[in-house]
Each structure stands twice: as structure tokens, then as C-alpha cells.
């Protein structure tokens, strides 16, 4: 899908990408790409287990990271061009150095190197197994520092005037920690913007995922780049957009929920996720016994963590260990497409505690069927996070330079919360009906 080639009449090395076409690579970024830590991303699929539903969705975090690098370079270059003439913005002089530009591009390239097998599924596995919040971004910063040290790249960084302070700046951008960089806060909004969800990471995954899923979800990023500037606020310098971009940005949020509805939250994909997490939990205690590590805490040792990729599924499936029988049974059901059965689904008005409901349902139903095992899944579909208005923190300016407050159209403000119950084993219809009558007694939300 990605091919390196050298131009006949230029020393610039480029990558041919199916989404963005020709991408010119900075020499330092090529050095980073050629490290084992970065090459590992070739074996981690961008969309987890979605390829088991959408056969062409086999693209990896490797391609996505290069795509984010490219879009980040376009955005920072657009801002640099706007502010290269200090006379144009006397009221808010902005300085973006070549070192700043390169730091943003490296952060964009390395923002996902901390992902575990099957991307976000690994976070769900760790959080369910350990009851601790673990983020791949934190792992990305650790692996990036290791990548620089282990591959002796500090000298290469110095060749481009990047020292230890710049390396720390890159890790701060990856982590989204702008606490000590208020004058450069706008640089933190380029790669992963937690305030507005308008950033190059989302632009690339939307374009790339849509391409490989076979759906249409355009992102007019070149138009957006043409109509943005930097505003000085009490919380630091931030990116703002011309009011005429409202519909373009709205289309991004609409297309994002479209991808979630059709692809990311596809019922079969989420069912396979449940099954794979069950298999990983069953295998948790029997994997790195020689290192006194489990799968769920492999991230505590970077060398161990870097051995993990999507190949884990078939490694477990074919590993000869009697203690893995349960895990292998689940994995065999996945590859032979014998999935957990959906026995109940509805929509809720607010999130509920699913673990307690699952336990109470299983205990009640096991009186009649001792082998009953249930899995409950709830997920939301909304324009923003948790149903929030995504325009709440987006800054807009009018043609005359004055500010504009914007919000979602009323018809877009609703949040859809889906609730599903799956049966691990076969279950007869009478027991399913009994379960439905028990739900209102267990949880008032079902009355």
C-alpha cells in the first residue's frame, strides 16, 4: 500500500500513499521510520478487528502515522506562511521556527507508536482486566524516548538543532500537555486537539478508514487550512477558523458519526471485540511467565511490550499449552465465525453500570441454566464526546475580525445510547424471555 521511491532528479525521498498521493519525507523522520519501534506499527491494524467484517480494512497504524505527519506538515506550513510577515499581524505577532515545525511533524509521526495489538481494543482489554485507566498516548511518549536513545538518534536530532528540550517538547505534544507552553498552545491543537476534536489525526483516520471501508466521508482540509489563524486568549494562543468554515467542520462531525454507525460500531465487529477480550483475559496469566509479566501489564516493560502485535491472535491460537484451552476455544470460534449471539438490544437515555446488571442477570438465570454466560455492551453515537456539543470550544472569527459563537443545529444534538446483551453459550428462547422480564426489576432504566 505504501512504496518508497527516490525521484530521479532530486535527493528528496517520497512515499506514494493511496490517500494523500505523494508525501515528501524529512530526512530525520525517515531515520525514525526505519527504527524497529516504528516498523512494529506495520503489524498493528488501524481499525482493530474490523477487517473480519470489512475485508479491505487491513491498513495499519504505520500508514496512518505517515498520513498524520503529512497533514501536520501542511497545517504548520499554512500557519507559518500566514505569519511570516510580522506587519500582517502586529496585534498578535506569532513566531513559528523551523524547529517548532519539525517537532510538530515528529510528534504527528510518533503519536501512535504506543498502541497495543488491535489498536484501541488493547486499551479496553487492560481497563477491563486491571480496572485501571491506561492510555496508549502515555506509552507513545515512553517508546518515543526509548526510540531516540536506543537507536542513537540524538546526534541526528542535533543536526537539525533539536536538543533534549525539543525532545521533551515533542513528548508533550504527543501527550497533549500544553501546561508550560501557552504561547505555543496552537501547536498542540494540530496533532490531537482534545478541546475541539478538529485535528490532523482525525482528518487522516477519517479519510483513510473511509477509503479502506469503501464508504464516502470527505474532509475538505485544504479549504480549512486556507481559512484559519491564531487567536490570543487568556489560556494561550489558539487556532480559530473563519465563520464560512462552519458547514465544512459540521460535515466532519457528521461523517465521523457516519463512520461509527456503519463501521466502528458495527454489531459484528463489537461482538468479535468482546470475544477477543475474553480470550486475552483467559490467556492473561500464561504468556510472559518467564518475565513475571502478564499480557495486561506487559506495558510495564517496554522491551516486552514491543514484542506484541496483531500476530498475537494466531500465536495464541496455535500455542501448545493446556492452560490456554479456554482462550483457544474462543479464538477458534472467532476464526470460524461462530460468534456470541445477540439476544437483546435497546436504546437508553443515559449510561448505566453494566457489570452489576450482568452479574445479577447471570445469577438469576443460572438457577435454570448453570452454564449461562452473558456479555453486555453499551456504546454511544453522538457528534461530540458524551453528547457534548463539539462546537462548544471551537473558535470562529468573522470577516471583520470579530468573534463568533457557534453551536450544533438542534437536530444534531441528540445522543444515541445503544445497549446490547450477548449470550456466550446457546440459550433457549424461554430463558431469553425470562431475562427480559428480569431487566426492569434489576435496573429502573428498563421500566
Amino acid at each position: 500500500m505504501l512504496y518508497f521511491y527516490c525521484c530521479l532528479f532530486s535527493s528528496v525521498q517520497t512515499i506514494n500513499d493511496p490517500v494523500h498521493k505523494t508525501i515528501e519525507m524529512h530526512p530525520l523522520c525517515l531515520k525514525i521510520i526505519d527504527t524497529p519501534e516504528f516498523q512494529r506499527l506495520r503489524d498493528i491494524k488501524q481499525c482493530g478487528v474490523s477487517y473480519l467484517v470489512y475485508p479491505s480494512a487491513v491498513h495499519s497504524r504505520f500508514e496512518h502515522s505517515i498520513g498524520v505527519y503529512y497533514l501536520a506538515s501542511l497545517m504548520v506550513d499554512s500557519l507559518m506562511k500566514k505569519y511570516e510577515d510580522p506587519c500582517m499581524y502586529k496585534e498578535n505577532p506569532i513566531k513559528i521556527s523551523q524547529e517548532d515545525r519539525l517537532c510538530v511533524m515528529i510528534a504527528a509521526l510518533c503519536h501512535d507508536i504506543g498502541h497495543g495489538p488491535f489498536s484501541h481494543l488493547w486499551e479496553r482489554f487492560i481497563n477491563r482486566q486491571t480496572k485501571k485507566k491506561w492510555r496508549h498516548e502515555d506509552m507513545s511518549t515512553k517508546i518515543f524516548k526509548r526510540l531516540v536513545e536506543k537507536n542513537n538518534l540524538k546526534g541526528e536530532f542535533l543536526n537539525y538543532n533539536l536538543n533534549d528540550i525539543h525532545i521533551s517538547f515533542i513528548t508533550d505534544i504527543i501527550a497533549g500537555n500544553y501546561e508550560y507552553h501557552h504561547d505555543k498552545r496552537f501547536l498542540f491543537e494540530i496533532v490531537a486537539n482534545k478541546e475541539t476534536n478538529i485535528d490532523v489525526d482525525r482528518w487522516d483516520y477519517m479519510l483513510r478508514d473511509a477509503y479502506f471501508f469503501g464508504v464516502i466521508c470527505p474532509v475538505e482540509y485544504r479549504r480549512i487550512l486556507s481559512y484559519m489563524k491564531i487567536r490570543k486568549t487568556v489560556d494561550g494562543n489558539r487556532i480559530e477558523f473563519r465563520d464560512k468554515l462552519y458547514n465544512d467542520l459540521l460535515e466532519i462531525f457528521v461523517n465521523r458519526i457516519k463512520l461509527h454507525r456503519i463501521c466502528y460500531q458495527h454489531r459484528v465487529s463489537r461482538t468479535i471485540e468482546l470475544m477477543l477480550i475474553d480470550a486475552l483475559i483467559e490467556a492473561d496469566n500464561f504468556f510472559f511467565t518467564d518475565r513475571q509479566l502478564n499480557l495486561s501489564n506487559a506495558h510495564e516493560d517496554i522491551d516486552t511490550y514491543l514484542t506484541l502485535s496483531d500476530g498475537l491472535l494466531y500465536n495464541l491460537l496455535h500455542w501448545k499449552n493446556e492452560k490456554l484451552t479456554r482462550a483457544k476455544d474462543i479464538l477458534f470460534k472467532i476464526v470460524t465465525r461462530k460468534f456470541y449471539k445477540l439476544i437483546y438490544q435497546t436504546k437508553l437515555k443515559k449510561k448505566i453500570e453494566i457489570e452489576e446488571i450482568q452479574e445479577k442477570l447471570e445469577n438469576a438465570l443460572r438457577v435454570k441454566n448453570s452454564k449461562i454466560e452473558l456479555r453486555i455492551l453499551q456504546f454511544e453515537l453522538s457528534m461530540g464526546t458524551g453528547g457534548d456539543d463539539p462546537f462548544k470550544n471551537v473558535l470562529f472569527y468573522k470577516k471583520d475580525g470579530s468573534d463568533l459563537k457557534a453551536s450544533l443545529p438542534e437536530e444534531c444534538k441528540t445522543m444515541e445510547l445503544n445497549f446490547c446483551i450477548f449470550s456466550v453459550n446457546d440459550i433457549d428462547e424461554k430463558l431469553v424471555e425470562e431475562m427480559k422480564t428480569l431487566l426492569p426489576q434489576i435496573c429502573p432504566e428498563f421500566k
Side-chain angles (χ1 to χ4, degrees), residues 120-375:
H120 292 289
L121 180 145
W122 195 256
E123 288 163 301
R124 296 184 185 115
F125 156 61
I126 291 177
N127 295 341
R128 180 175 149 191
Q129 179 70 341
T130 66
K131 310 300 181 188
K132 295 178 182 177
K133 190 70 175 176
W134 180 84
R135 304 187 322 147
H136 75 273
E137 291 92 344
D138 298 331
M139 201 65 198
S140 291
T141 60
K142 293 177 183 177
I143 293 176
F144 173 71
K145 291 177 182 176
R146 180 193 189 277
L147 178 153
V148 175
E149 293 285 345
K150 195 86 171 178
N151 297 282
N152 300 314
L153 291 183
K154 280 198 173 183
E156 299 288 344
F157 274 66
L158 286 172
N159 289 338
Y160 298 94
N161 298 320
L162 300 187
N163 53 34
D164 288 343
I165 294 175
H166 293 100
I167 290 173
S168 294
F169 182 48
I170 293 168
T171 60
D172 283 342
I173 294 176
I174 293 172
N177 179 22
Y178 59 82
E179 184 178 358
Y180 301 107
H181 309 280
H182 280 247
D183 58 328
K184 295 182 179 180
R185 178 176 172 179
F186 62 94
L187 295 176
F188 288 73
E189 296 181 319
I190 293 175
V191 179
N193 192 332
K194 293 177 174 57
E195 297 287 334
T196 66
N197 292 329
I198 301 171
D199 55 52
V200 296
D201 178 27
R202 286 166 179 81
W203 294 355
D204 184 82
Y205 81 62
M206 287 179 65
L207 289 167
R208 193 170 303 277
D209 294 355
Y211 178 90
F212 287 103
F213 279 125
V215 299
I216 299 174
C217 287
V219 177
E220 300 297 336
Y221 62 83
R222 293 190 185 278
R223 173 176 163 81
I224 296 171
L225 295 179
S226 298
Y227 294 101
M228 66 180 198
K229 62 180 186 177
I230 299 168
R231 181 194 298 182
K232 187 174 184 179
T233 74
V234 293
D235 297 319
N237 291 325
R238 294 189 56 199
I239 293 175
E240 63 175 348
F241 304 92
R242 178 69 191 278
D243 55 355
K244 64 168 67 179
L245 291 178
Y246 176 84
N247 287 328
D248 300 278
L249 298 180
L250 177 61
E251 186 179 31
I252 291 177
F253 295 125
V254 171
N255 283 333
R256 178 181 171 274
I257 197 172
K258 175 183 176 181
L259 279 170
H260 272 274
R261 188 183 302 279
I262 298 174
C263 307
Y264 306 141
Q265 306 295 350
H266 190 285
R267 180 180 60 81
V268 177
S269 291
R270 295 308 303 267
T271 307
I272 295 171
E273 280 190 13
L274 286 174
M275 296 178 72
L276 184 51
I277 290 173
D278 279 351
L280 292 173
I281 289 173
E282 291 293 333
D284 194 25
N285 296 326
F286 309 110
F287 208 75
F288 296 112
T289 51
D290 57 324
R291 308 184 199 187
Q292 295 184 323
L293 286 170
N294 300 334
L295 284 174
S296 59
N297 62 5
H299 56 272
E300 293 176 8
D301 178 73
I302 294 180
D303 288 328
T304 299
Y305 185 78
L306 288 172
T307 66
L308 296 173
S309 69
D310 286 9
L312 178 63
L313 189 156
Y314 286 96
N315 288 339
L316 286 171
L317 187 61
H318 300 297
W319 198 10
K320 297 186 184 301
N321 186 329
E322 291 182 0
K323 295 178 180 179
L324 290 173
T325 301
R326 169 76 169 160
K328 291 168 71 172
D329 285 346
I330 298 171
L331 294 174
F332 186 73
K333 287 180 179 178
I334 291 175
V335 298
T336 56
R337 307 191 72 78
K338 296 175 182 176
F339 306 133
Y340 294 166
K341 182 181 179 182
L342 177 65
I343 57 175
Y344 180 78
Q345 62 179 336
T346 189
K347 298 187 187 305
L348 299 175
K349 293 182 179 179
K350 65 178 182 179
K351 284 190 175 182
I352 57 176
E353 181 54 56
I354 60 175
E355 290 184 5
E356 183 179 349
I357 293 175
Q358 179 177 315
E359 184 180 359
K360 288 181 177 179
L361 278 177
E362 286 180 337
N363 289 339
L365 295 174
R366 279 175 181 166
V367 175
K368 295 187 176 181
N369 184 344
S370 60
K371 294 183 179 180
I372 190 74
E373 269 192 89
L374 303 176
R375 295 292 180 270

Side-chain angles (χ1 to χ4, degrees), residues 46-60:
Q46 170 76 7
C47 296
V49 298
S50 292
Y51 74 101
L52 294 171
V53 178
Y54 292 88
S56 61
V58 291
H59 54 301
S60 70

